[in-house]
Amino acid sequence: MNFKTQEIGSIDKLSFRTKAAKGKPLNERDIAEAKAWGAKLNVPVDEKLLSKKEKTKDDILAIRDLSSLMAIRFFEKSGLDIVYDGEQKRIEMYQHAIQNSNGFNFVGHVRSFDDKYYNIASCENHVSMKNLFHTDELKFIANNTKRGIKVPITGAATLAYWSDNKYYIEKWAKENLPPKKRNLSARREFILDLARNVLRPNIKSLVENGATKIQIDEPAASMFISKEDLEIFAESFNESVKGINCEFSMHICFSDYGALFPQILEMKKCSEHAWEFANRDSTKLGGTKETRNGYSGLDYFKEYGFEGNVGLGVINVHSNFIPSPELIRDRVLYGASVLGPEHILVNPDCGLRTRSWDIAFEMLSGMTKGAELAREAV
Amino acid sequence: MQAFLTGAYPHSEELVAAHREHARKRITKEELNKAVGKDLEALIRLQKVEGFKQIVDGQLDWGDLLRPFSKLYGIEKGSLTRWYNNNTFYWAPRVTGKIEWKDSVLKGILSPNANKLIVPGPYTFSLLCETPFYRNRDEIMFDFAKALNSELKHHKVPYIQISEPSLVFSPPDENTLEKSIDAVAEAIKGIKAQTLLQTYFGPIEAIYPAVLEYPVDFIGVDFIETDVNALDSGFAKGLACGLVNSRTSSIERPEDIAEQANNIEEKLEPNEIFICPNADLDLRPGWVAEKKIASLASASKIIGELA
């Protein structure tokens, strides 16, 4: 089937989930919201559990499972072909991976934009894996859906670029090398240690436990765009998946896409690139280059002869503007006109974490309707 | 030797929490503003305690460097875009008509306790905005420079910093560089203030010594990215040395900053020299920024004692 629909990563966590994780009691509003979504998604909500003033560790885990199940049903009900659980069991994509790895200390919050922050860690020792951090999550999801599953996992380069590389910089400072070469060597060793020691064992475990599609998230891909850095970037992907057979995709967003070529084509096992486009696009209907001005990045795939698939970002995740199914259709058909309908999957630009569930649900429902319209039009 | 800050300042953990609570509608805008006010007060106090004469407001309530300027006539908020090679983002201004200044865009968000105003430079603005209206970026530079000039005249502060990271991140060709120099001249025409053109996120070699042609009192150089040995002496301007790295959490030793500043002064022979962070300290958490400021202030004292 052409134009399969999928999510990219995280969605927001409802207040019953976030408050429970912090050990805070839930108020009537939190419980009412959980019940309303439970009813809408046909997920039984244990009101007694949510109302407990003092929650045990098992209670908190049960609430996390409830949140995960709701997110799975949320995606299913909005009509997606490929689902996950909106990363309901992770704090966020960076912190979750880092706190399950050895060698890091968190140093505090840094603003990403507006009121969004992330907790930055400093790498102060040799990097290795502390715990497998996605396997249990996958098992739960596999037991609770019959749809296709795609596991998102944060990539080695992004984990490295978002951290302070103190340990490897100090290690390489002992070498008598020019600063540029020294910094590059420190960066390379850091990224490749993450790829081999953290990413690879997690990916291996996911595949052993039934994962058939894994998306490696590299939103920071274009932070370092020298030829040498991009070669390291491609190498890090190849090292992360070395010896493992699975369908692999890569998600990149808010980046200078042109800068990534041709090196990203060296990721030989990557059969799909899922990118953000709608953020850059006009909201006018139509399929011309002018109306679809946000999708010029597709031309790179054509120019460089990429034979895989593209996950087409058709929803701007940082706006409450809900694209109509017709606008989604036109974006999808434009993508199909550039790369061929058999090469297009349909998804939001990025995870919908910054939108409310009401808005995200409307967006995704509209997206699946738009994909259907595009199928009818082809 | 004086020290000063050159850009946005990190939010305290309390302000981070307040923003999150506000986003979840658990506190009001007034309560959020109160939290911003507390951070601002602490930042102003910190700079005064450390003996800084140029006081910034840390752009705590700006969103990003370009955001207030999206309020200029002819501009609207565009797409979310990566801020150079950092894990931070800005909303690109989308220029949909001729850029014009009708009223102050910084009114209400600029602290009266700050005496240094930091604004984006014309070249940087022209590269970072989206341009469905203008046919070439030179025109944007000039129209933005004119608007900037009105804004700067409106505020009458003694210190002005024109931030031009793109000059060293994506250096212009010779022709564009000349036009950018003219645009900066337009931006500060008739302004009575000490002016600084701050470059960061890249080495200055590609535009050196031409950068000395900008009609400003000081040029800021990112010495985390720039190799001083690649520059010839005869820096016939004031020099702001970016020696504290805003992109690491490691705290620089004051003695090392002082030594580097002295070496730079000996090598380049600028008219006058200041020390500062290489870029916005909001790229690291608040406690890191505080320690870096303390190092900078101590380095300033060491240099003063040696002078």
Side-chain angles (χ1 to χ4, degrees), chain A residues 12 107 109 111-112 114 117-118 162 164 219 223 254 279 318, chain B residues 11 13 19 24 67 79-80 82 85 87-89 249 284 287:
Chain A
D12 192 23
V107 291
H109 287 97
R111 187 149 75 145
S112 184
D114 292 349
Y117 302 83
Y118 75 106
W162 287 359
D164 257 336
M223 272 177 66
F254 309 104
N279 169 54
H318 292 300
Chain B
H11 293 179
E13 292 294 330
H19 267 295
R24 290 195 172 272
R67 188 84 57 86
S79 57
L80 191 69
R82 184 175 297 284
N85 51 353
N87 184 33
T88 54
F89 300 84
S249 299
R284 283 299 172 266
W287 70 268

PDB file of all heavy atoms in Angstrom, chain A residues 12 107 109 111-112 114 117-118 162 164 219 223 254 279 318, chain B residues 11 13 19 24 67 79-80 82 85 87-89 249 284 287:
ATOM      1  N   ASP A  12       2.623  14.292  23.919  1.00  0.00           N
ATOM      2  CA  ASP A  12       2.559  14.860  25.266  1.00  0.00           C
ATOM      3  C   ASP A  12       2.150  13.778  26.281  1.00  0.00           C
ATOM      4  O   ASP A  12       1.579  12.754  25.906  1.00  0.00           O
ATOM      5  CB  ASP A  12       1.511  15.985  25.250  1.00  0.00           C
ATOM      6  CG  ASP A  12       1.552  16.836  26.512  1.00  0.00           C
ATOM      7  OD1 ASP A  12       2.608  16.860  27.168  1.00  0.00           O
ATOM      8  OD2 ASP A  12       0.530  17.467  26.827  1.00  0.00           O
ATOM      9  N   VAL A 107      23.998  18.131  34.188  1.00  0.00           N
ATOM     10  CA  VAL A 107      24.478  19.398  34.770  1.00  0.00           C
ATOM     11  C   VAL A 107      23.396  20.482  34.887  1.00  0.00           C
ATOM     12  O   VAL A 107      23.605  21.487  35.549  1.00  0.00           O
ATOM     13  CB  VAL A 107      25.709  19.969  34.018  1.00  0.00           C
ATOM     14  CG1 VAL A 107      26.920  19.106  34.240  1.00  0.00           C
ATOM     15  CG2 VAL A 107      25.451  20.142  32.543  1.00  0.00           C
ATOM     16  N   HIS A 109      19.444  22.455  33.195  1.00  0.00           N
ATOM     17  CA  HIS A 109      18.576  22.682  32.036  1.00  0.00           C
ATOM     18  C   HIS A 109      19.080  23.799  31.123  1.00  0.00           C
ATOM     19  O   HIS A 109      19.538  24.830  31.584  1.00  0.00           O
ATOM     20  CB  HIS A 109      17.157  23.014  32.510  1.00  0.00           C
ATOM     21  CG  HIS A 109      16.446  21.820  33.036  1.00  0.00           C
ATOM     22  ND1 HIS A 109      16.377  21.533  34.377  1.00  0.00           N
ATOM     23  CD2 HIS A 109      15.808  20.803  32.397  1.00  0.00           C
ATOM     24  CE1 HIS A 109      15.721  20.408  34.542  1.00  0.00           C
ATOM     25  NE2 HIS A 109      15.360  19.935  33.364  1.00  0.00           N
ATOM     26  N   ARG A 111      17.796  25.954  27.584  1.00  0.00           N
ATOM     27  CA  ARG A 111      16.613  26.206  26.757  1.00  0.00           C
ATOM     28  C   ARG A 111      16.859  25.769  25.318  1.00  0.00           C
ATOM     29  O   ARG A 111      17.902  26.072  24.736  1.00  0.00           O
ATOM     30  CB  ARG A 111      16.247  27.688  26.788  1.00  0.00           C
ATOM     31  CG  ARG A 111      14.927  27.937  26.080  1.00  0.00           C
ATOM     32  CD  ARG A 111      14.196  29.094  26.672  1.00  0.00           C
ATOM     33  NE  ARG A 111      14.802  30.348  26.267  1.00  0.00           N
ATOM     34  CZ  ARG A 111      14.100  31.448  26.037  1.00  0.00           C
ATOM     35  NH1 ARG A 111      12.804  31.443  26.190  1.00  0.00           N
ATOM     36  NH2 ARG A 111      14.697  32.556  25.698  1.00  0.00           N
ATOM     37  N   SER A 112      15.902  25.065  24.785  1.00  0.00           N
ATOM     38  CA  SER A 112      15.966  24.670  23.381  1.00  0.00           C
ATOM     39  C   SER A 112      15.283  25.750  22.534  1.00  0.00           C
ATOM     40  O   SER A 112      15.847  26.250  21.570  1.00  0.00           O
ATOM     41  CB  SER A 112      15.270  23.318  23.243  1.00  0.00           C
ATOM     42  OG  SER A 112      15.381  22.843  21.953  1.00  0.00           O
ATOM     43  N   ASP A 114      11.634  28.751  23.128  1.00  0.00           N
ATOM     44  CA  ASP A 114      10.415  29.133  23.860  1.00  0.00           C
ATOM     45  C   ASP A 114      10.460  28.592  25.295  1.00  0.00           C
ATOM     46  O   ASP A 114      11.379  28.892  26.029  1.00  0.00           O
ATOM     47  CB  ASP A 114       9.164  28.651  23.121  1.00  0.00           C
ATOM     48  CG  ASP A 114       8.963  29.390  21.808  1.00  0.00           C
ATOM     49  OD1 ASP A 114       9.658  30.381  21.584  1.00  0.00           O
ATOM     50  OD2 ASP A 114       8.116  28.971  21.008  1.00  0.00           O
ATOM     51  N   TYR A 117      12.938  23.024  27.275  1.00  0.00           N
ATOM     52  CA  TYR A 117      14.298  22.909  27.809  1.00  0.00           C
ATOM     53  C   TYR A 117      14.727  21.446  27.754  1.00  0.00           C
ATOM     54  O   TYR A 117      13.893  20.547  27.667  1.00  0.00           O
ATOM     55  CB  TYR A 117      14.332  23.339  29.272  1.00  0.00           C
ATOM     56  CG  TYR A 117      13.855  24.743  29.531  1.00  0.00           C
ATOM     57  CD1 TYR A 117      12.495  25.026  29.647  1.00  0.00           C
ATOM     58  CD2 TYR A 117      14.751  25.798  29.663  1.00  0.00           C
ATOM     59  CE1 TYR A 117      12.045  26.305  29.879  1.00  0.00           C
ATOM     60  CE2 TYR A 117      14.307  27.087  29.904  1.00  0.00           C
ATOM     61  CZ  TYR A 117      12.957  27.338  30.012  1.00  0.00           C
ATOM     62  OH  TYR A 117      12.513  28.619  30.251  1.00  0.00           O
ATOM     63  N   TYR A 118      16.012  21.199  27.829  1.00  0.00           N
ATOM     64  CA  TYR A 118      16.466  19.822  28.025  1.00  0.00           C
ATOM     65  C   TYR A 118      17.562  19.811  29.081  1.00  0.00           C
ATOM     66  O   TYR A 118      18.233  20.822  29.301  1.00  0.00           O
ATOM     67  CB  TYR A 118      16.915  19.168  26.713  1.00  0.00           C
ATOM     68  CG  TYR A 118      18.261  19.621  26.189  1.00  0.00           C
ATOM     69  CD1 TYR A 118      19.375  18.789  26.289  1.00  0.00           C
ATOM     70  CD2 TYR A 118      18.427  20.864  25.604  1.00  0.00           C
ATOM     71  CE1 TYR A 118      20.614  19.190  25.812  1.00  0.00           C
ATOM     72  CE2 TYR A 118      19.653  21.268  25.131  1.00  0.00           C
ATOM     73  CZ  TYR A 118      20.749  20.421  25.236  1.00  0.00           C
ATOM     74  OH  TYR A 118      21.971  20.826  24.771  1.00  0.00           O
ATOM     75  N   TRP A 162      24.530  16.767  21.848  1.00  0.00           N
ATOM     76  CA  TRP A 162      23.751  17.468  22.873  1.00  0.00           C
ATOM     77  C   TRP A 162      24.423  17.395  24.250  1.00  0.00           C
ATOM     78  O   TRP A 162      23.906  17.943  25.222  1.00  0.00           O
ATOM     79  CB  TRP A 162      22.339  16.871  22.955  1.00  0.00           C
ATOM     80  CG  TRP A 162      21.474  17.232  21.789  1.00  0.00           C
ATOM     81  CD1 TRP A 162      21.817  18.026  20.730  1.00  0.00           C
ATOM     82  CD2 TRP A 162      20.130  16.830  21.543  1.00  0.00           C
ATOM     83  NE1 TRP A 162      20.764  18.127  19.848  1.00  0.00           N
ATOM     84  CE2 TRP A 162      19.719  17.405  20.320  1.00  0.00           C
ATOM     85  CE3 TRP A 162      19.207  16.033  22.241  1.00  0.00           C
ATOM     86  CZ2 TRP A 162      18.447  17.202  19.776  1.00  0.00           C
ATOM     87  CZ3 TRP A 162      17.940  15.844  21.691  1.00  0.00           C
ATOM     88  CH2 TRP A 162      17.566  16.416  20.480  1.00  0.00           C
ATOM     89  N   ASP A 164      28.054  17.637  26.785  1.00  0.00           N
ATOM     90  CA  ASP A 164      29.397  18.205  26.895  1.00  0.00           C
ATOM     91  C   ASP A 164      30.395  17.071  26.740  1.00  0.00           C
ATOM     92  O   ASP A 164      30.392  16.137  27.531  1.00  0.00           O
ATOM     93  CB  ASP A 164      29.583  18.783  28.296  1.00  0.00           C
ATOM     94  CG  ASP A 164      29.459  20.274  28.293  1.00  0.00           C
ATOM     95  OD1 ASP A 164      29.688  20.871  27.237  1.00  0.00           O
ATOM     96  OD2 ASP A 164      29.137  20.831  29.342  1.00  0.00           O
ATOM     97  N   PRO A 219      18.001  14.320  15.191  1.00  0.00           N
ATOM     98  CA  PRO A 219      17.633  15.711  14.912  1.00  0.00           C
ATOM     99  C   PRO A 219      18.824  16.657  14.888  1.00  0.00           C
ATOM    100  O   PRO A 219      18.746  17.740  14.311  1.00  0.00           O
ATOM    101  CB  PRO A 219      16.682  16.054  16.071  1.00  0.00           C
ATOM    102  CG  PRO A 219      16.935  15.043  17.125  1.00  0.00           C
ATOM    103  CD  PRO A 219      17.373  13.799  16.402  1.00  0.00           C
ATOM    104  N   MET A 223      24.414  19.595  12.964  1.00  0.00           N
ATOM    105  CA  MET A 223      25.149  20.530  13.835  1.00  0.00           C
ATOM    106  C   MET A 223      26.611  20.664  13.421  1.00  0.00           C
ATOM    107  O   MET A 223      27.206  21.724  13.553  1.00  0.00           O
ATOM    108  CB  MET A 223      25.041  20.086  15.297  1.00  0.00           C
ATOM    109  CG  MET A 223      23.805  20.670  15.976  1.00  0.00           C
ATOM    110  SD  MET A 223      23.557  20.121  17.662  1.00  0.00           S
ATOM    111  CE  MET A 223      24.955  20.821  18.511  1.00  0.00           C
ATOM    112  N   PHE A 254      14.518  20.043  11.283  1.00  0.00           N
ATOM    113  CA  PHE A 254      15.032  21.400  11.541  1.00  0.00           C
ATOM    114  C   PHE A 254      16.524  21.500  11.223  1.00  0.00           C
ATOM    115  O   PHE A 254      17.311  22.008  12.020  1.00  0.00           O
ATOM    116  CB  PHE A 254      14.731  21.811  12.987  1.00  0.00           C
ATOM    117  CG  PHE A 254      13.280  21.613  13.342  1.00  0.00           C
ATOM    118  CD1 PHE A 254      12.869  20.558  14.124  1.00  0.00           C
ATOM    119  CD2 PHE A 254      12.332  22.479  12.822  1.00  0.00           C
ATOM    120  CE1 PHE A 254      11.523  20.363  14.406  1.00  0.00           C
ATOM    121  CE2 PHE A 254      10.979  22.296  13.101  1.00  0.00           C
ATOM    122  CZ  PHE A 254      10.572  21.233  13.901  1.00  0.00           C
ATOM    123  N   ASN A 279       6.864  22.447   8.365  1.00  0.00           N
ATOM    124  CA  ASN A 279       7.291  23.665   9.075  1.00  0.00           C
ATOM    125  C   ASN A 279       7.749  24.751   8.107  1.00  0.00           C
ATOM    126  O   ASN A 279       7.637  25.931   8.392  1.00  0.00           O
ATOM    127  CB  ASN A 279       8.415  23.264  10.041  1.00  0.00           C
ATOM    128  CG  ASN A 279       9.144  24.445  10.655  1.00  0.00           C
ATOM    129  OD1 ASN A 279       8.532  25.324  11.232  1.00  0.00           O
ATOM    130  ND2 ASN A 279      10.468  24.453  10.523  1.00  0.00           N
ATOM    131  N   HIS A 318       4.909  22.419  15.596  1.00  0.00           N
ATOM    132  CA  HIS A 318       5.063  23.554  16.509  1.00  0.00           C
ATOM    133  C   HIS A 318       4.005  24.631  16.286  1.00  0.00           C
ATOM    134  O   HIS A 318       4.218  25.804  16.577  1.00  0.00           O
ATOM    135  CB  HIS A 318       6.470  24.141  16.400  1.00  0.00           C
ATOM    136  CG  HIS A 318       7.501  23.195  16.915  1.00  0.00           C
ATOM    137  ND1 HIS A 318       7.506  22.737  18.201  1.00  0.00           N
ATOM    138  CD2 HIS A 318       8.541  22.580  16.303  1.00  0.00           C
ATOM    139  CE1 HIS A 318       8.504  21.894  18.374  1.00  0.00           C
ATOM    140  NE2 HIS A 318       9.141  21.782  17.238  1.00  0.00           N
TER     141      HIS A 318
ATOM    142  N   HIS B  11      18.142  30.623  31.870  1.00  0.00           N
ATOM    143  CA  HIS B  11      17.072  30.733  32.862  1.00  0.00           C
ATOM    144  C   HIS B  11      17.441  29.905  34.088  1.00  0.00           C
ATOM    145  O   HIS B  11      18.014  28.819  33.959  1.00  0.00           O
ATOM    146  CB  HIS B  11      15.757  30.214  32.270  1.00  0.00           C
ATOM    147  CG  HIS B  11      15.240  31.071  31.157  1.00  0.00           C
ATOM    148  ND1 HIS B  11      14.090  30.787  30.469  1.00  0.00           N
ATOM    149  CD2 HIS B  11      15.728  32.220  30.613  1.00  0.00           C
ATOM    150  CE1 HIS B  11      13.881  31.729  29.556  1.00  0.00           C
ATOM    151  NE2 HIS B  11      14.873  32.600  29.614  1.00  0.00           N
ATOM    152  N   GLU B  13      16.727  27.448  37.353  1.00  0.00           N
ATOM    153  CA  GLU B  13      15.863  26.263  37.442  1.00  0.00           C
ATOM    154  C   GLU B  13      14.446  26.675  37.859  1.00  0.00           C
ATOM    155  O   GLU B  13      13.469  26.063  37.442  1.00  0.00           O
ATOM    156  CB  GLU B  13      16.447  25.245  38.435  1.00  0.00           C
ATOM    157  CG  GLU B  13      17.765  24.593  37.958  1.00  0.00           C
ATOM    158  CD  GLU B  13      17.616  23.698  36.718  1.00  0.00           C
ATOM    159  OE1 GLU B  13      16.551  23.106  36.529  1.00  0.00           O
ATOM    160  OE2 GLU B  13      18.593  23.617  35.932  1.00  0.00           O
ATOM    161  N   HIS B  19       8.148  28.376  33.548  1.00  0.00           N
ATOM    162  CA  HIS B  19       7.744  28.274  32.141  1.00  0.00           C
ATOM    163  C   HIS B  19       6.948  27.001  31.896  1.00  0.00           C
ATOM    164  O   HIS B  19       5.952  27.002  31.160  1.00  0.00           O
ATOM    165  CB  HIS B  19       8.985  28.299  31.241  1.00  0.00           C
ATOM    166  CG  HIS B  19       9.333  29.681  30.778  1.00  0.00           C
ATOM    167  ND1 HIS B  19       8.513  30.413  29.946  1.00  0.00           N
ATOM    168  CD2 HIS B  19      10.402  30.470  31.026  1.00  0.00           C
ATOM    169  CE1 HIS B  19       9.062  31.593  29.702  1.00  0.00           C
ATOM    170  NE2 HIS B  19      10.210  31.660  30.350  1.00  0.00           N
ATOM    171  N   ARG B  24       1.573  24.573  30.989  1.00  0.00           N
ATOM    172  CA  ARG B  24       0.499  23.641  31.365  1.00  0.00           C
ATOM    173  C   ARG B  24      -0.688  24.367  32.014  1.00  0.00           C
ATOM    174  O   ARG B  24      -1.551  23.738  32.623  1.00  0.00           O
ATOM    175  CB  ARG B  24       1.049  22.567  32.305  1.00  0.00           C
ATOM    176  CG  ARG B  24       1.989  21.605  31.599  1.00  0.00           C
ATOM    177  CD  ARG B  24       2.257  20.354  32.381  1.00  0.00           C
ATOM    178  NE  ARG B  24       2.999  19.399  31.571  1.00  0.00           N
ATOM    179  CZ  ARG B  24       2.422  18.506  30.758  1.00  0.00           C
ATOM    180  NH1 ARG B  24       1.131  18.434  30.682  1.00  0.00           N
ATOM    181  NH2 ARG B  24       3.163  17.682  30.043  1.00  0.00           N
ATOM    182  N   ARG B  67      13.499  37.452  17.614  1.00  0.00           N
ATOM    183  CA  ARG B  67      12.041  37.439  17.801  1.00  0.00           C
ATOM    184  C   ARG B  67      11.413  38.825  17.887  1.00  0.00           C
ATOM    185  O   ARG B  67      10.423  39.102  17.197  1.00  0.00           O
ATOM    186  CB  ARG B  67      11.676  36.622  19.035  1.00  0.00           C
ATOM    187  CG  ARG B  67      10.164  36.374  19.229  1.00  0.00           C
ATOM    188  CD  ARG B  67       9.711  35.200  18.438  1.00  0.00           C
ATOM    189  NE  ARG B  67      10.502  34.060  18.842  1.00  0.00           N
ATOM    190  CZ  ARG B  67      10.220  33.266  19.864  1.00  0.00           C
ATOM    191  NH1 ARG B  67       9.137  33.487  20.578  1.00  0.00           N
ATOM    192  NH2 ARG B  67      10.985  32.252  20.153  1.00  0.00           N
ATOM    193  N   SER B  79       9.324  30.025  10.256  1.00  0.00           N
ATOM    194  CA  SER B  79       9.455  28.629  10.701  1.00  0.00           C
ATOM    195  C   SER B  79      10.545  28.469  11.771  1.00  0.00           C
ATOM    196  O   SER B  79      11.469  29.274  11.877  1.00  0.00           O
ATOM    197  CB  SER B  79       9.743  27.718   9.512  1.00  0.00           C
ATOM    198  OG  SER B  79      10.900  28.138   8.846  1.00  0.00           O
ATOM    199  N   LEU B  80      10.398  27.409  12.532  1.00  0.00           N
ATOM    200  CA  LEU B  80      11.374  27.100  13.579  1.00  0.00           C
ATOM    201  C   LEU B  80      12.651  26.582  12.922  1.00  0.00           C
ATOM    202  O   LEU B  80      12.613  25.662  12.115  1.00  0.00           O
ATOM    203  CB  LEU B  80      10.791  26.033  14.520  1.00  0.00           C
ATOM    204  CG  LEU B  80      11.571  25.776  15.804  1.00  0.00           C
ATOM    205  CD1 LEU B  80      11.480  26.966  16.743  1.00  0.00           C
ATOM    206  CD2 LEU B  80      11.035  24.527  16.504  1.00  0.00           C
ATOM    207  N   ARG B  82      17.123  25.877  13.212  1.00  0.00           N
ATOM    208  CA  ARG B  82      18.252  25.641  14.109  1.00  0.00           C
ATOM    209  C   ARG B  82      19.120  26.893  14.240  1.00  0.00           C
ATOM    210  O   ARG B  82      19.382  27.586  13.262  1.00  0.00           O
ATOM    211  CB  ARG B  82      19.111  24.476  13.584  1.00  0.00           C
ATOM    212  CG  ARG B  82      20.269  24.108  14.519  1.00  0.00           C
ATOM    213  CD  ARG B  82      21.012  22.873  14.032  1.00  0.00           C
ATOM    214  NE  ARG B  82      20.156  21.706  14.019  1.00  0.00           N
ATOM    215  CZ  ARG B  82      19.794  21.013  15.100  1.00  0.00           C
ATOM    216  NH1 ARG B  82      20.223  21.384  16.282  1.00  0.00           N
ATOM    217  NH2 ARG B  82      19.008  19.968  14.991  1.00  0.00           N
ATOM    218  N   ASN B  85      25.157  25.914  14.782  1.00  0.00           N
ATOM    219  CA  ASN B  85      25.367  24.491  15.099  1.00  0.00           C
ATOM    220  C   ASN B  85      25.174  24.246  16.594  1.00  0.00           C
ATOM    221  O   ASN B  85      26.063  23.748  17.284  1.00  0.00           O
ATOM    222  CB  ASN B  85      26.746  24.013  14.615  1.00  0.00           C
ATOM    223  CG  ASN B  85      27.871  24.906  15.067  1.00  0.00           C
ATOM    224  OD1 ASN B  85      27.618  25.953  15.643  1.00  0.00           O
ATOM    225  ND2 ASN B  85      29.100  24.500  14.836  1.00  0.00           N
ATOM    226  N   ASN B  87      22.088  23.131  19.785  1.00  0.00           N
ATOM    227  CA  ASN B  87      20.805  22.462  20.001  1.00  0.00           C
ATOM    228  C   ASN B  87      19.773  23.461  20.506  1.00  0.00           C
ATOM    229  O   ASN B  87      19.046  23.221  21.451  1.00  0.00           O
ATOM    230  CB  ASN B  87      20.972  21.312  21.003  1.00  0.00           C
ATOM    231  CG  ASN B  87      19.686  20.548  21.184  1.00  0.00           C
ATOM    232  OD1 ASN B  87      18.918  20.420  20.236  1.00  0.00           O
ATOM    233  ND2 ASN B  87      19.438  20.048  22.382  1.00  0.00           N
ATOM    234  N   THR B  88      19.760  24.632  19.911  1.00  0.00           N
ATOM    235  CA  THR B  88      18.749  25.635  20.209  1.00  0.00           C
ATOM    236  C   THR B  88      18.167  26.126  18.884  1.00  0.00           C
ATOM    237  O   THR B  88      18.796  25.969  17.830  1.00  0.00           O
ATOM    238  CB  THR B  88      19.324  26.830  20.989  1.00  0.00           C
ATOM    239  OG1 THR B  88      20.433  27.330  20.264  1.00  0.00           O
ATOM    240  CG2 THR B  88      19.788  26.445  22.356  1.00  0.00           C
ATOM    241  N   PHE B  89      16.994  26.717  18.967  1.00  0.00           N
ATOM    242  CA  PHE B  89      16.261  27.064  17.752  1.00  0.00           C
ATOM    243  C   PHE B  89      15.706  28.471  17.854  1.00  0.00           C
ATOM    244  O   PHE B  89      15.557  29.001  18.953  1.00  0.00           O
ATOM    245  CB  PHE B  89      15.115  26.068  17.547  1.00  0.00           C
ATOM    246  CG  PHE B  89      15.603  24.651  17.415  1.00  0.00           C
ATOM    247  CD1 PHE B  89      15.854  23.892  18.548  1.00  0.00           C
ATOM    248  CD2 PHE B  89      15.861  24.100  16.177  1.00  0.00           C
ATOM    249  CE1 PHE B  89      16.353  22.596  18.444  1.00  0.00           C
ATOM    250  CE2 PHE B  89      16.352  22.810  16.061  1.00  0.00           C
ATOM    251  CZ  PHE B  89      16.596  22.060  17.195  1.00  0.00           C
ATOM    252  N   SER B 249      30.603  23.046  29.634  1.00  0.00           N
ATOM    253  CA  SER B 249      30.324  23.267  31.055  1.00  0.00           C
ATOM    254  C   SER B 249      31.608  23.321  31.875  1.00  0.00           C
ATOM    255  O   SER B 249      31.559  23.536  33.087  1.00  0.00           O
ATOM    256  CB  SER B 249      29.407  22.168  31.593  1.00  0.00           C
ATOM    257  OG  SER B 249      28.192  22.185  30.893  1.00  0.00           O
ATOM    258  N   ARG B 284      24.346  27.118  28.141  1.00  0.00           N
ATOM    259  CA  ARG B 284      24.674  26.235  29.260  1.00  0.00           C
ATOM    260  C   ARG B 284      23.772  26.589  30.448  1.00  0.00           C
ATOM    261  O   ARG B 284      23.202  27.677  30.492  1.00  0.00           O
ATOM    262  CB  ARG B 284      26.165  26.382  29.650  1.00  0.00           C
ATOM    263  CG  ARG B 284      27.110  25.655  28.678  1.00  0.00           C
ATOM    264  CD  ARG B 284      26.813  24.167  28.666  1.00  0.00           C
ATOM    265  NE  ARG B 284      27.503  23.383  27.657  1.00  0.00           N
ATOM    266  CZ  ARG B 284      27.014  23.064  26.454  1.00  0.00           C
ATOM    267  NH1 ARG B 284      25.853  23.495  26.075  1.00  0.00           N
ATOM    268  NH2 ARG B 284      27.684  22.293  25.631  1.00  0.00           N
ATOM    269  N   TRP B 287      23.926  27.735  36.631  1.00  0.00           N
ATOM    270  CA  TRP B 287      25.040  27.675  37.590  1.00  0.00           C
ATOM    271  C   TRP B 287      26.380  27.679  36.866  1.00  0.00           C
ATOM    272  O   TRP B 287      27.375  28.212  37.376  1.00  0.00           O
ATOM    273  CB  TRP B 287      24.908  26.453  38.520  1.00  0.00           C
ATOM    274  CG  TRP B 287      25.147  25.121  37.861  1.00  0.00           C
ATOM    275  CD1 TRP B 287      24.219  24.312  37.292  1.00  0.00           C
ATOM    276  CD2 TRP B 287      26.411  24.446  37.703  1.00  0.00           C
ATOM    277  NE1 TRP B 287      24.803  23.176  36.781  1.00  0.00           N
ATOM    278  CE2 TRP B 287      26.151  23.233  37.030  1.00  0.00           C
ATOM    279  CE3 TRP B 287      27.732  24.747  38.059  1.00  0.00           C
ATOM    280  CZ2 TRP B 287      27.152  22.324  36.690  1.00  0.00           C
ATOM    281  CZ3 TRP B 287      28.735  23.837  37.729  1.00  0.00           C
ATOM    282  CH2 TRP B 287      28.452  22.636  37.065  1.00  0.00           C
TER     283      TRP B 287
END
